[in-house]
Amino acid sequence: MNCPCCSGKTYDECCRPYHTGERHAPTAEALMRSRFSAFAIPNGRYLMETTLPAKRKYHNTQDLQEWGEINTWTKLDIIAKPSADQVEFRAFYTDEEGKPQVHHELSTFKKVQDRWFYVSGVFR
């Protein structure tokens, strides 16, 4: 299976090792890609685990899981990486009513003890 993150690699050689906990994403971009894949699969648990612990109170696993389930995630475009801890992207998906949508965000990540976490995003 091709990886949902559009890396051109298979899921097994790309995001699966992050989702299973075999490895941690080595860069903010790799974490961004693995989180997109977690919406596509869906894997709400991984999305929560890769959110900065101090920010988890603003999210819950079930909502993250459901957002992945009700939408069909089709494509990820990385637009820019303004710094080592920021990634601008467009995530394309079809909503539950069958309408194509684009989620455009500049995300900020933080590295804590050699592990990257999602902190927040600004919609574009």
Side-chain angles (χ1 to χ4, degrees), residues 6-53:
C6 302
S7 65
K9 299 176 184 176
T10 67
Y11 176 67
D12 285 344
E13 66 185 351
C14 192
C15 291
R16 188 193 61 76
Y18 308 139
H19 292 173
T20 61
E22 293 171 44
R23 294 193 320 243
H24 297 300
T27 64
E29 180 184 349
L31 183 63
M32 171 60 243
R33 289 182 175 281
S34 70
R35 286 175 59 86
F36 176 86
S37 290
F39 278 111
I41 287 178
N43 185 342
R45 178 192 52 78
Y46 178 79
L47 292 163
M48 184 60 88
E49 289 173 358
T50 56
T51 298
L52 189 70

Side-chain angles (χ1 to χ4, degrees), residues 4-115:
C5 80
C6 302
S7 65
K9 299 176 184 176
T10 67
Y11 176 67
D12 285 344
E13 66 185 351
C14 192
C15 291
R16 188 193 61 76
Y18 308 139
H19 292 173
T20 61
E22 293 171 44
R23 294 193 320 243
H24 297 300
T27 64
E29 180 184 349
L31 183 63
M32 171 60 243
R33 289 182 175 281
S34 70
R35 286 175 59 86
F36 176 86
S37 290
F39 278 111
I41 287 178
N43 185 342
R45 178 192 52 78
Y46 178 79
L47 292 163
M48 184 60 88
E49 289 173 358
T50 56
T51 298
L52 189 70
K55 299 288 185 168
R56 290 179 188 167
K57 62 186 171 192
Y58 303 112
H59 306 278
N60 74 63
T61 304
Q62 187 59 37
D63 286 349
L64 293 168
Q65 180 76 22
E66 287 176 5
W67 206 47
E69 289 173 355
I70 64 172
N71 299 300
T72 302
W73 300 85
T74 55
K75 182 180 174 187
L76 175 66
D77 281 338
I78 303 296
I79 298 168
K81 295 176 275 183
S83 64
D85 65 348
Q86 290 187 314
V87 179
E88 182 178 0
F89 67 92
R90 282 191 207 106
F92 296 82
Y93 64 98
T94 303
D95 68 18
E96 60 189 317
E97 296 174 0
K99 295 178 185 173
Q101 303 290 332
V102 178
H103 178 90
H104 185 178
E105 181 178 312
L106 175 62
S107 292
T108 300
F109 300 86
K110 184 174 182 178
K111 195 172 190 179
V112 178
Q113 298 177 351
D114 291 325
R115 186 171 174 198

